[in-house]
Amino acid sequence: MFPVFYVAGLVALVSTVMVVTRRNPIHALLYFILSLVAVAVIFLDAGAPFVAALEVIIYAGAIMVLFIFVVMLLNPGVALVIRAREWIGPAILSLLLTLGIVYSVVGSTIKTMGISATTPKDIAMALFGPYLLGVELASLLLLAGLVAAYHLGRRIEREAPARGASLQPGAPVGSGAPSSRKEGA
Amino acid sequence: MSSEQILALLPILVTSAASVVVMLLVALKRSHGLVFGVTVGSLLVALAAIGSSVSVMPQAVSSLLIMDRFALLYIGLILAATLAVALLSYAYLESRAERREEYYILLLLAAAGSEVLAAAGSYVSFFLGLEILSISLYGLVAYRRQTPLGIEAGVKYLILAGASSGFILFGMALIYAEQGSLQFAALAAAKGSSFDVVSLVGFALIVVGVGFKLAVVPFHLWTPDVYQGAPAPVTAFVATVSKGAMFALLLRYFIQLDLYQYGAVVLVFGIIAALSILAGNILGLLQNNVKRMLAYSSIAHVGYLLVALLASGPLAVSSVTFYLIAYFITNLGAFGVVGYLSSGEREAEEIDDYRGLAWRRPWVAGALTASLLSLAGIPLTAGFIGKFFIIAAGAGSRLWALLIILVVGSVVSFFYYFRLVLAIFREPDAGAQVPYPSASLAGGIALSVLTLLLVWLGVYPAPLVNLLGGMTSGLL
């Protein structure tokens, strides 16, 4: 039990540090996928196979693929060719992760760490039983995110000429207000 | 859910349903007036629903929400403040060439999230309520997305609020790992006379997240920039509803878990309160921008509120609530005037914008002056009575050091409040006069009601004090 947790935890930590420190967004995203898969392995090891599957399907699968597409569409200038030197790191980490999974499957020690496994049925019963209200609240949360993203992401229309007047750089600010806008990948 | 539970939840249900109705309405027909009317109407209905919810109190709705008199009181306060913000927003949005309707959806959702926070009885609803509030606020703070300052404020708020949510979530996970429950009540039953290390770390992480939302001093760095960059009515919302909801949760948490018995917790909050009062007031002195000045003043005011929170005893809950109500009215009034005078694409936020206001717009000047006097705690305003209650509660619990800091901080704050009051009553410049927008009916009504309440609470607070005594004694 513990070897798997420690290996997966180590992979998660190392790959997350790599996400933050990479300069090439595609490399960072590769490490990010690895980090999410490592977290999924931890979930699996902790007896939550359903959450582990969701982690892989939703985060590593859907969201990261979206990220990669967006980066590829927005940043054609970045070198998208991945040479051996750059994929060797993720490969070693994935290998470690695979060894961990193989070890736990061969040793049949899934659902360890002293916790009984949580089945999809348990989760469904909790979500639509005592936490039904929580599910409804989460839907409000998504609605808020959707409306905010719609408003902020909409194309700025050419409208009243008064618009440009407020854009002069000398807008009144106090101590250190601007200047944090220069950051970016 | 039983019908009693649905009845108890009615204010939250009405607010949430209203956001969906407004969204559908926007999909059918974009009309600012219609959306504004539906928003105001549904907020009034939600306020009226509180009356019917009182009959089924107290009611635990599943394990997540506790609808007791305390929760209803704060929900009422949140709804009333949101109503005031909506009224003040109409003219503000009308004068801007931006899409206006989404604003009201986000405003209603933010109010719903705050209501959930005020009624939260478990970490699950605490976190969900907090996130609904925060995510709606990201959109609202960055609503003026064509201005660099608005976008900067939105990004700052997004990153810092996201980080603080991460702190809270990790703290909850640690507490859950150690205690095995997410309910405040179960935690209260299980706790011993001292925290173990894991729970202590978890609790400390939650304090970081809560401190961010309340903008108390080690976690206040976002406040001035966000207050400045957000539209003035949204700034009023962030300063009042968002903080008030978090304070309601903190109050319930403190009392339910009886955190007063832990010396370390009281010490930490005491230090935070002292730092907030001193830093807020001293940094407020340095500001020439009215929104930034009010931001620092709000940091100091949360410090005062923490002093009342730390004063345990029967007076604590009602003195915190009274001060919070006074703070709501005062800040809504002050930021309301800033929004009321902001024309077209610019905000009336420099002190020079207010020069000679008394000669040009005597009624608005009166409202702003009353708010500033109340913030300073001058007699005959709600702020004075509030401060009086805090000092009485603090003296009852012998928090002398904090009280001395509070008095020193209040004296320092006079300087910058009166600087603005002085500017209001100075002769206007003959030449360069800042144009003010024409008066708006909705904003005018909101400002007059707020000012009347402010003076009424300062002159005759007895009815509210009695009401609070009855309401807050029903905590749990």
Side-chain angles (χ1 to χ4, degrees):
Chain A
M1 70 185 239
F2 280 120
V4 177
F5 171 75
Y6 283 121
V7 167
L10 191 73
V11 171
L13 282 178
V14 170
S15 54
T16 310
V17 169
M18 298 299 266
V19 173
V20 182
T21 52
R22 288 313 86 185
R23 301 191 74 86
N24 186 326
I26 293 291
H27 296 169
L29 287 174
L30 279 181
Y31 278 109
F32 201 178
I33 293 179
L34 194 58
S35 159
L36 293 168
V37 174
V39 172
V41 172
I42 294 179
F43 275 127
L44 192 68
D45 190 49
F50 185 63
V51 181
L54 285 187
E55 179 89 15
V56 171
I57 295 171
I58 297 175
Y59 286 93
I63 296 180
M64 292 319 299
V65 168
L66 200 67
F67 271 31
I68 290 177
F69 270 133
V70 169
V71 170
M72 287 186 158
L73 288 176
L74 291 185
N75 260 346
V78 177
L80 293 177
V81 187
I82 298 177
R83 288 180 299 275
R85 194 154 49 81
E86 275 128 9
W87 59 256
I88 199 84
I92 292 174
L93 290 175
S94 326
L95 192 68
L96 277 175
L97 214 53
T98 319
L99 286 180
I101 297 178
V102 168
Y103 174 85
S104 73
V105 170
V106 170
S108 68
T109 52
I110 298 182
K111 66 164 172 147
T112 45
M113 290 174 79
I115 310 160
S116 60
T118 313
T119 62
K121 187 181 172 190
D122 295 336
I123 293 173
M125 295 303 280
L127 281 185
F128 291 95
Y131 291 109
L132 180 60
L133 216 55
V135 174
E136 297 296 333
L137 289 175
S139 70
L140 285 185
L141 180 67
L142 292 180
L143 178 63
L146 196 68
V147 174
Y150 169 72
H151 175 71
L152 296 179
R154 208 168 37 80
R155 190 186 297 273
I156 292 181
E157 295 147 17
R158 302 257 177 278
E159 277 175 80
R163 177 63 54 81
S166 66
L167 284 173
Q168 74 255 20
V173 281
S175 55
S179 82
S180 64
R181 245 168 290 116
K182 290 193 284 283
E183 289 146 46
Chain B
M1 275 199 281
S2 65
S3 57
E4 275 102 19
Q5 287 178 325
I6 289 176
L7 196 59
L9 271 189
L10 210 53
I12 299 180
L13 293 179
V14 170
T15 322
S16 324
S19 65
V20 178
V21 168
V22 170
M23 184 182 66
L24 294 176
L25 214 59
V26 173
L28 288 176
K29 182 175 175 354
R30 275 195 180 270
S31 152
H32 187 199
L34 182 65
V35 164
F36 171 75
V38 171
T39 306
V40 168
S42 56
L43 285 170
L44 287 172
V45 171
L47 271 173
I50 291 178
S52 61
S53 300
V54 170
S55 58
V56 291
M57 290 298 110
Q59 186 82 242
V61 185
S62 77
S63 59
L64 296 183
L65 298 177
I66 301 173
M67 302 298 289
D68 50 12
R69 293 160 90 74
F70 174 80
L72 276 190
L73 173 70
Y74 273 87
I75 286 176
L77 195 56
I78 287 164
L79 284 170
T82 311
L83 184 64
V85 170
L87 289 173
L88 292 166
S89 305
Y90 182 75
Y92 183 92
L93 289 172
E94 192 63 35
S95 70
R96 275 161 181 74
E98 179 65 79
R99 291 216 177 171
R100 306 165 182 115
E101 291 79 10
E102 287 85 353
Y103 180 93
Y104 295 95
I105 308 175
L106 291 173
L107 190 67
L108 285 167
L109 283 169
S114 311
E115 289 168 52
V116 170
L117 265 185
S122 128
Y123 283 121
V124 179
S125 40
F126 169 17
F127 190 72
L128 283 170
L130 180 71
E131 283 303 285
I132 296 174
L133 175 62
S134 300
I135 290 193
S136 320
L137 282 179
Y138 303 152
L140 286 174
V141 166
Y143 207 81
R144 295 189 299 157
R145 67 200 183 98
Q146 71 279 24
T147 64
L149 275 180
I151 292 293
E152 180 194 337
V155 169
K156 261 188 186 151
Y157 195 71
L158 172 75
I159 292 175
L160 289 175
S164 81
S165 296
F167 274 99
I168 290 185
L169 202 57
F170 192 40
M172 286 174 183
L174 288 180
I175 288 181
Y176 181 65
E178 194 58 35
Q179 315 266 355
S181 173
L182 289 168
Q183 309 269 6
F184 297 164
L187 290 179
K191 76 176 166 57
S193 57
S194 69
F195 282 120
D196 53 289
V197 176
V198 175
S199 307
L200 196 66
V201 173
F203 183 74
L205 289 173
I206 292 180
V207 169
V208 171
V210 170
F212 168 83
K213 212 62 191 162
L214 290 177
V216 286
V217 149
F219 320 109
H220 68 291
L221 293 169
W222 58 278
T223 320
D225 292 339
V226 169
Y227 277 38
Q228 185 187 6
V234 174
T235 312
F237 191 89
V238 175
T240 57
V241 176
S242 152
K243 283 189 187 179
M246 195 42 127
F247 223 91
L249 182 110
L250 193 64
L251 202 57
R252 185 192 290 278
Y253 193 74
F254 244 80
I255 288 168
Q256 204 152 19
L257 266 68
D258 195 18
L259 294 179
Y260 296 109
Q261 53 170 312
Y262 304 111
V265 174
V266 173
L267 184 68
V268 166
F269 275 94
I271 292 172
I272 289 177
L275 286 177
S276 302
I277 294 172
L278 290 177
N281 282 325
I282 291 169
L283 293 174
L285 283 177
L286 308 175
Q287 306 304 320
N288 280 323
N289 182 308
V290 174
K291 275 170 132 185
R292 292 179 82 87
M293 189 197 90
L294 288 173
Y296 283 110
S297 122
S298 84
I299 293 173
H301 280 273
V302 176
Y304 304 156
L305 274 166
L306 284 178
V307 173
L309 176 75
L310 289 176
S312 60
L315 214 50
V317 177
S318 48
S319 64
V320 167
T321 311
F322 189 95
Y323 195 80
L324 209 54
I325 292 175
Y327 169 86
F328 265 52
I329 296 172
T330 309
N331 268 296
L332 285 171
F335 285 114
V337 170
V338 175
Y340 193 76
L341 295 178
S342 298
S343 62
E345 292 298 320
R346 74 181 287 288
E347 305 265 303
E349 54 186 11
E350 294 298 307
I351 285 198
D352 284 343
D353 293 341
Y354 294 87
R355 195 182 156 113
L357 183 67
W359 314 103
R360 298 168 60 196
R361 287 288 184 85
W363 290 104
V364 181
L368 184 56
T369 308
S371 300
L372 289 170
L373 293 181
S374 176
L375 281 171
I378 301 297
L380 294 184
T381 59
F384 170 73
I385 307 285
K387 236 172 224 172
F388 175 79
F389 275 119
I390 286 186
I391 290 176
S397 307
R398 302 196 163 66
L399 301 170
W400 300 119
L402 280 177
L403 286 185
I404 290 170
I405 291 173
L406 192 155
V407 171
V408 171
S410 302
V411 172
V412 172
S413 72
F414 284 180
F415 282 105
Y416 58 84
Y417 293 135
F418 282 100
R419 222 174 112 210
L420 186 52
V421 173
L422 222 66
I424 293 172
F425 286 96
R426 197 169 284 166
E427 289 277 336
D429 280 339
Q433 283 204 347
V434 189
Y436 291 142
S438 54
S440 93
L441 181 65
I445 291 174
L447 281 183
S448 2
V449 169
L450 286 170
T451 311
L452 283 178
L453 274 175
L454 195 125
V455 176
W456 182 50
L457 283 185
V459 177
Y460 186 49
L464 181 64
V465 173
N466 292 336
L467 180 77
L468 289 183
M471 281 293 220
T472 50
S473 65
L475 186 62
L476 299 183

